[in-house]
């Protein structure tokens, strides 16, 4: 084991889009686990849109990262030293060690992984927080019924790709919204969506009018902004809108003008924001159903893996510009299962 730990810390708070200068890479002494703690070697680090909010000054639904502190993030790692009764050296686990090569934790919220059941990286994507967000948001808030039309934005991404496939499993017509020909082609040809609107190439209202002839019953919103405005013009009576994310605004310095809410009133529609950490009671159901669908080949996923901790800042910046294609991960060190 090395004697030093490598960490990516927040150096400055971005005004608008972050730059690599907002991060610093530092070396610190390798931490030692105390009683009841484990030391993990990070194998994969998850990069997720919420991290942009953690870089801001004010508190959102969770505390921000303090200047000079390690950036937060979900991780998959190997236990290299354990003083905790529930973990042994060599265990593969999903935890929350953040942007660093090694992390010490008390094991709270740390989940054992079985590489025979699924590749360990999926614990950060399709069988992790993004997959569970799709499962809970769609099934509990969207409540799709067979034959209904479901639209999802950021459709090729970690959450959106799972939303669309779970909606297909429920017997729905599924239309994605994504940026670019390649992502739209993937969503239709590989994931089995019925159609995908390329918001960079065509007017979203026109594209959705063409692909949703029966209107929209469920809109799983990952982006907010202009896509939401276009969707609202097409919703059906009693439509449901799980409001999952507003990535089009995460780098905004001023609030954009809001949508016209009249269609919500006229159609008696439900729009409900949700944060997945409030729904951890659904984890067993999610792991049972999505684990089975994954093994049956009914739930597919795509990963976009960048190499090395030093690549993390630029990769997160790229995610906020749509440069990732699939669940964005950093390969921090060797995956012993590959
Ligand atoms: N509520 C919760 O608890 C919860 C939990 C997890 C995730 N989320 C939210 O779910 C959404 C998707 O997250 P994810 O992990 O699945 O990320 P992702 O889709 O894998 O990656 C983000 C994607 O967002 C799209 N995007 C980026 N900038 C955009 C912009 N200005 N306008 C429109 N689209 C843009 C890009 O796809 P295109 O190239 O197709 O535009 C990009 O690839 C995010 O809003 C995230 O914050 C919420």
């Amino acid at each position: 084991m090395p004697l030093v730990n490598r960490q990516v810390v927040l150096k400055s708070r971005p005004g608008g889009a972050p730059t690599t200068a907002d991060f610093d890479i530092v070396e610190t002494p390798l931490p030692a686990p105390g009683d009841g703690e484990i030391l993990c070697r990070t194998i994969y680090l998850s990069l997720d849109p919420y991290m942009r909010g953690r870089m801001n000054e004010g508190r959102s639904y969770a505390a921000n990262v303090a200047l000079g502190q390690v950036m937060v993030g979900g991780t998959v790692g190997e236990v290299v030293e354990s003083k905790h009764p529930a973990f042994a050296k060599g265990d593969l686990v999903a935890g929350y060690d953040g942007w660093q090569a090694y992390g010490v934790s008390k094991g709270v919220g740390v989940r054992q992984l079985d590489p025979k059941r699924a590749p360990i990286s999926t614990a950060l994507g399709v069988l992790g927080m993004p997959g569970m967000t799709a499962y809970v948001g769609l099934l509990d808030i969207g409540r799709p019924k067979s034959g209904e039309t479901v639209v999802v934005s950021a459709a090729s991404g970690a959450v959106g790709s799972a939303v669309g496939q779970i909606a297909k499993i429920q017997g729905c017509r599924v239309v994605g919204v994504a940026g670019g020909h390649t992502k739209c082609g993937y969503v239709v040809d590989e994931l089995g969506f019925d159609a995908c609107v390329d918001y960079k190439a065509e007017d979203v209202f026109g594209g959705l009018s063409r692909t949703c002839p029966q209107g929209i019953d469920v809109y799983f919103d990952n982006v907010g902004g202009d896509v939401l405005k276009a969707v609202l013009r097409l919703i059906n009576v009693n439509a449901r809108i799980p409001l999952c994310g507003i990535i089009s605004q995460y780098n905004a310095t001023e609030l954009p003008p809001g949508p016209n809410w009249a269609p919500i009133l006229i159609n008696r529609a439900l729009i409900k924001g949700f944060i997945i950490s409030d729904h951890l009671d659904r984890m067993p159901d999610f792991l049972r159903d999505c684990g089975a669908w994954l093994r049956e080949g009914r739930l597919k996923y795509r990963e976009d893996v960048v190499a090395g901790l030093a690549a993390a800042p630029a990769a997160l910046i790229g995610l906020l510009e749509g440069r990732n294609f699939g669940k964005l991960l950093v390969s921090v060190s060797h995956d012993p299962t590959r």
Side-chain angles (χ1 to χ4, degrees):
M1 249 193 302
L3 293 173
V4 292
N5 192 13
R6 272 176 311 114
Q7 303 176 318
V8 181
V9 300
L10 182 63
K11 188 175 172 190
S12 51
R13 302 200 185 281
T19 71
T20 52
D22 293 319
F23 303 87
D24 227 353
I25 299 180
V26 299
E27 291 197 343
T28 56
L30 192 71
D35 279 346
E37 292 184 334
I38 51 176
L39 173 66
C40 289
R41 169 177 69 87
T42 306
I43 300 171
Y44 296 107
L45 164 68
S46 179
L47 294 182
D48 298 276
Y50 74 82
M51 292 168 174
R52 175 64 188 85
R54 299 288 197 281
M55 299 172 75
N56 287 340
E57 179 75 63
R59 189 185 157 86
S60 174
Y61 59 88
N64 59 14
V65 176
L67 291 180
Q69 290 300 302
V70 178
M71 284 288 294
V72 291
T75 48
V76 159
E78 180 179 13
V79 177
V80 289
E81 196 178 339
S82 177
K83 292 186 175 168
H84 190 299
F87 299 94
K89 188 175 177 199
D91 283 353
L92 296 166
V93 294
Y96 205 68
D97 283 338
W99 297 29
Q100 55 183 342
Y102 289 86
V104 165
S105 80
K106 295 189 185 311
V108 179
V110 175
R111 187 159 61 92
Q112 296 270 8
L113 301 176
D114 179 356
K116 289 194 222 69
R117 291 188 74 77
I120 57 173
S121 57
T122 59
L124 299 173
V126 67
L127 293 185
M129 183 277 284
M132 188 160 146
T133 302
Y135 180 88
V136 172
L138 180 68
L139 298 183
D140 296 4
I141 300 171
R143 297 187 174 273
K145 294 187 225 31
S146 181
E148 288 189 330
T149 297
V150 173
V151 171
V152 57
S153 46
S156 76
V159 175
S161 60
V163 167
Q165 293 178 88
I166 297 170
K168 283 305 295 179
I169 291 169
Q170 307 304 307
C172 298
R173 174 174 175 77
V174 177
V175 176
V177 180
H181 181 71
T182 309
K183 287 182 176 179
C184 287
Y186 163 76
V187 156
V188 173
D189 300 336
E190 302 283 328
L191 304 184
F193 286 34
D194 296 284
C196 190
V197 174
D198 178 357
Y199 74 92
K200 291 183 175 166
E202 72 172 312
D203 168 64
V204 180
F205 176 71
L208 289 175
S209 304
R210 175 174 52 76
T211 53
C212 303
Q214 309 296 323
I216 298 170
D217 299 294
V218 179
Y219 172 50
F220 193 105
D221 191 5
N222 282 320
V223 306
D226 291 341
V227 180
L228 175 62
K229 284 185 197 166
V231 166
L232 289 184
R233 295 168 65 188
L234 293 164
I235 56 173
N236 290 332
V237 170
N238 292 322
R240 286 83 65 201
I241 303 178
L243 179 52
C244 175
I246 43 174
I247 197 168
S248 69
Q249 298 173 26
Y250 292 171
N251 282 334
T253 47
E254 282 178 25
L255 283 180
N260 169 16
W261 295 117
I264 297 281
L265 174 64
I266 294 163
N267 294 293
R268 291 79 104 194
L270 169 82
I271 180 162
K272 180 164 168 52
F274 71 103
I275 300 294
I276 195 55
S277 50
D278 294 337
H279 301 268
L280 296 182
D281 58 308
R282 292 284 274 143
M283 176 89 92
D285 298 330
F286 156 66
L287 288 175
R288 181 198 61 224
D289 290 344
C290 287
W293 293 331
L294 190 72
R295 283 189 293 280
E296 291 161 8
R298 301 170 79 192
L299 186 55
K300 298 183 181 140
Y301 66 97
R302 182 185 173 101
E303 293 174 340
D304 186 339
V305 185
V306 300
L309 204 52
L316 179 65
I317 292 164
L319 174 139
L320 296 163
E321 296 168 356
R323 271 191 266 139
N324 64 308
F325 185 6
K327 172 67 200 128
L328 186 57
L329 298 172
V330 181
S331 159
V332 178
S333 67
H334 172 66
D335 176 349
T337 67
R338 290 210 170 166

